[in-house]
Every structure is written in structure tokens, then in C-alpha cells.
Amino acid sequence: MSEDFLSSKLQSETIDQPRRRFLGTAAMTIAAAQVGGMASAAAQTVKAASKVPAIKPGTNTSFKSLKQINAGLLSVGYAEDGPADGPAVVLLHGWPYDIHSYVDVTPLLASKGYHVIVPYLRGYGTTRFLARDTVRNAQQSLVGLDIIALMDALKIQTATIAGFDWGARTVDVMAALWPERCKAIVSVGGYLISTPAGNQVPWPPEPAFLFWYQYYFATPVGKAGYEKYLDQFNKFIWHQASPKWNFDDATYERTAASFHNPDHVDIVMHDYRWRLGLADGERKYDDLEKRLAALAPIAVPTITMEGDSNGAIHAPSTAYRNKFSGKYDYRLVTGGVGHNLPQEAPQAFAQAVIDADGFS
């Protein structure tokens, strides 16, 4: 999420969501400090051009096609489905998740004629660095550049870009820096661009508690702990972030395989340390980060979304409404949906992609 926005809101607003229970390696009750918002009164709604059929989450366990391509600094692994000449959709996962967050969304969109691309981000799955000496850097502008390079390699000029968690941040970054490549966007959690400088504002206790892993990762023992207890750690985060999602071991394990990437730990550590100003980015991306630091509004047609049981810290929709200046809609997905919205509510997510595409 955009820590800049959320931090400032939490200094002045009462946290209005109830405390929630999550289960990890041990059961505990936490003050979730959830601040999920209601739909903005200014939101524009459009009638869906094509209705997505109902689907039970977990219907699919694999993708139609998995491929590999050199793009920029990486050899990118990605899932692909749908007609090659269909309108392009790029779906981006977050941490600690992978392409299986879209295992039900992808065939839904393909059945509607979309050409769907779902890449493993750097540090996940079969995505690898082409050069051994490339800096294992996860700053926000560079992850956005990875997706631009992938689109170039696949000869995709424009696409509807959609994501959650790290993926939503990357969606926002792409819309801010390269709007001409984004036909429309779907961003779970809203406006997630942030800056290391903006993240120096102290948090109140309850939201700081929900970001415990960010501070843990700032230490050498945190990196060692993540590496040693990788699968236990990430399963714990799944429970924290989606306290009402009753996923089974097989569902988790399909995704967990992607964490055993040789660069995964370094990429995760750099991401969270860079956000707090504890790790440097690369100077060649300074101009891009300077543009992002302006926190300018995004003009690309947008749908933002939130699950009603998101156990991860997130801003109310009212906090970021004015950061989207183009055609816009906000959707609160009910029924116990947590942080991994596309996997927990694939029909709603796929519908948002189709509707956002119809905005433009």
C-alpha cells in the first residue's frame, strides 16, 4: 500500500474496522486496524459489456500454457492463455504469492477473448536474472520496468494491467510513468506508490503491528529467519492477510514452490528495506523515482478494489480517491474476502478487468 497516504490518514482518523482473528503457526487475536473504505460517492459505474460466469474459487489448479522469454534484465517465466490477437491483459501477483493467484481468473478472461499474460515477478518461480552480477534490486520503478520489458518482448503495445499487493503497486507505477502502455488498470488497495522519504513518518501502534514483518526484515536475523522458515513464514502471512480464506495445503504448496527461487530472499529483503530507506536503489533509476515521489494523480481509466476481510494493512478508499483523475470505480468485495482477492474472488476480479477495459 502507499505508506505515505496511509500513515498520514492514521494520524488523523479513527481506525474503524473491528478486530479480527487470524491463525498462523499459533493462534492469536490481533487488532487488525482495518480501514477498508466504502465506495466513493464520486465513483463512476459502467454496465459490464460481458458478464463473467460464476466460478468456485479453486476450480483450476494449473495453467493452459507456461512459457519463458528474455525481457530486459530477466528471463521471465509466465502463464499465457487466450487468443494471441485478443486485447492484452497482464496480471501481476504480490508477496508472498505467485501466478497461481490468477489460476481461476486467467481462463475466465481467456474465454471472453482476452490474451492473458501472468508473469512471475523477479525473484519468483522460473524468472531468473540473465547476468550473475545484476543487482538484486526490487525498488518500485524497476519492477515496473520489468513489465514494460516483458510487453516489449511479447510485442504488446498496450494492455489492461491488473494486480494486488506488489502487483498493484507495479500497476500504479506503470500507469504513472508509462500511461501510454496502459489501456486501463485494476489496482487492489488503490494508490500504492510510496517513497522511502515518505515512509519515515512513524506509525501508530496497531498498524505498525500489522507491518511487523517489514521491521523484522530490516535486521540480519530477520533475513536469516525468513530464509530458514520460508514456507512456515509465508503460510503465516497468508493467514494474517486473509483470516477467512480456508485454503488447503495443496493450494499453498502450488504457490510455495515459486519461493524456492535463488533470488527470492534477496529480492524480498531489498523490497522492504528500500521502502524504509535502509537499502539503496540504483542511481540510474533516480529520475523515475523522482517522478513517482511527486505522488501525482493517475489519469488512466481505473477500478480499485478491496476485500471486506483484508487482514493486511490498507487505506480507506477515500484516502486515495483524488489520486485517480480519469474514469474510475471502486468495488468492495464482500463475503469474507481477504488480501489475495483474485484467488479468493476470481469472478469479481475478472469482471473488474473486463469492466475497466470497457472504460477506455
Side-chain angles (χ1 to χ4, degrees):
M1 70 210 53
S2 173
E3 292 90 344
D4 298 28
F5 272 106
L6 187 51
S7 182
S8 63
K9 292 298 285 186
L10 290 176
Q11 307 303 320
S12 58
E13 292 188 1
T14 302
I15 297 168
D16 59 10
Q17 290 290 338
R19 295 172 184 265
R20 302 189 182 275
R21 180 176 300 274
F22 69 85
L23 300 176
T25 52
M28 60 187 297
T29 301
I30 63 164
Q34 287 188 222
V35 284
M38 300 301 292
S40 168
Q44 302 172 39
T45 344
V46 295
K47 185 176 180 180
S50 178
K51 282 292 183 183
V52 174
I55 186 172
K56 181 181 178 182
T59 296
N60 297 286
T61 59
S62 61
F63 291 91
K64 183 176 180 180
S65 176
L66 295 174
K67 298 183 178 181
Q68 203 78 20
I69 192 170
N70 288 354
L73 301 173
L74 305 169
S75 170
V76 179
Y78 65 99
E80 183 176 36
D81 203 349
D85 60 350
V89 172
V90 179
L91 305 175
L92 303 178
H93 68 82
W95 172 87
Y97 306 95
D98 82 334
I99 63 174
H100 287 87
S101 290
Y102 299 103
V103 73
D104 287 324
V105 171
T106 296
L108 287 176
L109 292 174
S111 73
K112 296 298 182 181
Y114 287 93
H115 179 204
V116 187
I117 303 295
V118 193
Y120 286 108
L121 298 185
R122 53 172 54 203
Y124 294 82
T126 61
T127 293
R128 298 289 188 274
F129 286 90
L130 294 172
R132 295 177 65 181
D133 60 350
T134 301
V135 178
R136 272 39 178 179
N137 179 353
Q139 68 186 100
Q140 60 187 353
S141 60
L142 182 50
V143 180
L145 273 171
D146 286 345
I147 308 307
I148 294 295
L150 175 63
M151 291 173 64
D152 289 345
L154 294 173
K155 297 180 171 52
I156 295 172
Q157 182 58 37
T158 60
T160 298
I161 319 290
F164 75 104
D165 197 84
W166 289 19
R169 178 186 64 178
T170 305
V171 165
D172 293 339
V173 164
M174 292 175 67
L177 295 177
W178 304 283
E180 71 281 1
R181 305 299 297 271
C182 304
K183 185 179 181 185
I185 65 170
V186 176
S187 178
V188 177
Y191 191 90
L192 306 187
I193 297 169
S194 66
T195 65
N199 292 337
Q200 300 309 304
V201 178
W203 293 84
E206 291 189 20
F209 176 68
L210 287 183
F211 250 154
W212 65 272
Y213 55 86
Q214 182 169 255
Y215 307 117
Y216 183 63
F217 289 161
T219 68
V221 72
K223 179 180 180 180
Y226 186 62
E227 192 162 21
K228 182 175 181 178
Y229 299 107
L230 184 65
D231 289 324
Q232 292 169 258
F233 195 105
N234 288 342
K235 183 180 280 191
F236 183 81
I237 294 294
W238 278 32
H239 283 295
Q240 176 182 344
S242 298
K244 295 186 179 181
W245 182 30
N246 295 316
F247 61 89
D248 58 19
D249 287 343
T251 298
Y252 174 75
E253 287 161 8
R254 278 189 289 273
T255 287
S258 73
F259 306 145
H260 298 278
N261 175 300
D263 302 302
H264 178 75
V265 173
D266 287 340
I267 288 296
V268 172
M269 294 304 113
H270 187 269
D271 179 278
Y272 287 104
R273 292 175 180 182
W274 178 84
R275 293 191 201 193
L276 291 176
L278 301 175
D280 285 336
E282 294 178 80
R283 299 285 73 81
K284 56 187 171 182
Y285 306 116
D286 281 355
D287 286 346
L288 294 177
E289 294 297 343
K290 191 175 297 184
R291 289 168 60 190
L292 292 173
L295 301 178
I298 289 171
V300 170
T302 298
I303 291 177
T304 65
M305 306 182 75
E306 192 60 79
D308 68 339
S309 293
N310 185 0
I313 192 167
H314 55 280
S317 61
T318 52
Y320 54 73
R321 174 60 188 93
N322 66 352
K323 304 309 291 184
F324 297 97
S325 60
K327 205 164 192 178
Y328 176 83
D329 191 19
Y330 167 75
R331 298 179 182 182
L332 179 66
V333 184
T334 60
V337 175
H339 191 62
N340 186 4
L341 194 151
Q343 195 162 4
E344 298 175 59
Q347 181 184 9
F349 190 88
Q351 191 66 62
V353 172
I354 292 172
D355 293 349
D357 175 61
F359 277 1
S360 51

